[in-house]
Amino acid sequence: MKTTEGDQWLVTLTSQVKNPQEELEYYQKTAGHYEKSLYQMNYSAPDRCMQMLQSYEESSGKQIPRNGKAIDVGAGTGLSGLALKRYGFLGELDALEPSDNMFELAREKKIYSKRYPELLLPDKETSVPSCYYDLVIAIGVFSDRSLTRECMQEVIRMAKSGGAIVVVQDIRFWETLYKPLITELQQQKIVTLERLEFFDDYLASDTGVGYILRKEPFKN
């Protein structure tokens, strides 16, 4: 099978990029063909996320406020934000995205109200307000490289009490890194795990995992 530009982009990302600053520089450099690379690899995470949200609403009877406030963590060029709009979200949608070049492409989609241009780092609070968002989405961003498990508490901080945090990620990081973390957070009564799904077509031939957390009341 012929190697595509997308394959080469992914190999470089996973084999040569080792920390958040290097990843930011890589996205800055490759922003112009980022979406083409993902399309070549049949990237389905944003749509899978919205399907999971819809199934969750139908089975649980709980609703994500369509006119509420949401933030897209690691918004990139806006693919996840677009999927959220297709899902029917009509409210205020903000973005946390440090790459100027990536967000310039997102800005063209005219879906975001405000941008926070910061790197999300372990044990460092961003300028994103606390307990503000009804919905926090982090699609394709949590890994062992840039947005690590130590950043999960900061993402939770952004959500209102009772708000939803929705994550979709590569399954390779689930069993050893994120599953134990979610168990710890539930034991500490910081979040509840409301839904967990696995699917085969996350990116190229990789398996993905998606989960929905609810922030417990009065947790800042």
Side-chain angles (χ1 to χ4, degrees):
M1 183 181 295
K2 183 180 179 181
T3 301
T4 67
E5 183 178 320
D7 295 327
Q8 295 169 347
W9 176 87
L10 183 60
V11 167
T12 302
L13 175 66
T14 55
S15 65
Q16 298 183 24
V17 174
K18 303 301 182 184
N19 58 60
Q21 186 59 44
E22 288 183 3
E23 183 153 332
L24 172 58
E25 293 169 358
Y26 186 66
Y27 282 124
Q28 281 282 91
K29 183 173 65 175
T30 63
H33 55 83
Y34 169 79
E35 290 190 6
K36 178 182 177 182
S37 295
L38 293 186
Y39 288 140
Q40 288 176 340
M41 293 182 288
N42 300 313
Y43 180 60
S44 69
D47 288 328
R48 282 292 194 170
C49 178
M50 302 313 144
Q51 291 168 9
M52 179 175 67
L53 271 173
Q54 185 172 4
S55 296
Y56 164 72
E57 288 184 322
E58 291 172 353
S59 62
S60 70
K62 299 176 182 178
Q63 297 293 311
I64 303 298
R66 295 298 194 275
N67 292 299
K69 296 179 175 67
I71 187 167
D72 184 357
V73 175
T77 62
L79 295 179
S80 298
L82 276 179
L84 188 60
K85 291 294 186 179
R86 290 196 298 270
Y87 167 72
F89 185 80
L90 303 173
E92 173 188 324
L93 176 59
D94 295 338
L96 177 67
E97 175 51 56
S99 169
D100 292 336
N101 292 349
M102 293 282 278
F103 194 73
E104 190 59 34
L105 296 170
R107 196 190 311 276
E108 294 173 1
K109 296 176 174 66
K110 300 180 179 179
I111 55 175
Y112 296 108
S113 301
K114 182 175 182 178
R115 174 201 178 195
Y116 296 91
E118 302 164 58
L119 271 174
L120 207 168
L121 299 169
D123 303 318
K124 183 178 180 181
E125 192 169 298
T126 65
S127 63
V128 177
S130 296
C131 301
Y132 186 75
Y133 293 100
D134 300 287
L135 174 65
V136 181
I137 60 172
I139 302 177
V141 293
F142 276 107
S143 67
D144 63 348
R145 181 182 58 254
S146 55
L147 211 64
T148 61
R149 55 173 275 158
E150 290 77 18
C151 298
M152 185 66 77
Q153 286 276 21
E154 173 63 5
V155 170
I156 294 169
R157 181 187 66 81
M158 302 171 189
K160 292 178 178 179
S161 293
I165 300 100
V166 183
V167 178
V168 177
Q169 64 185 114
D170 194 310
I171 199 173
R172 289 177 296 168
F173 312 115
W174 172 248
E175 286 291 336
T176 58
L177 296 176
Y178 290 90
K179 183 179 179 180
L181 172 63
I182 301 308
T183 299
E184 292 171 16
L185 293 172
Q186 290 193 94
Q187 290 171 345
Q188 296 167 13
K189 299 189 183 303
I190 294 173
V191 298
T192 56
L193 177 61
E194 300 259 304
R195 193 172 186 91
L196 176 66
E197 291 188 7
F198 300 92
F199 48 90
D200 294 330
D201 51 352
Y202 167 76
L203 177 66
S205 58
D206 292 339
T207 300
V209 57
Y211 45 96
I212 300 174
L213 307 174
R214 281 280 181 182
K215 185 175 180 179
E216 291 281 6
F218 313 119
K219 298 294 182 179
N220 295 325

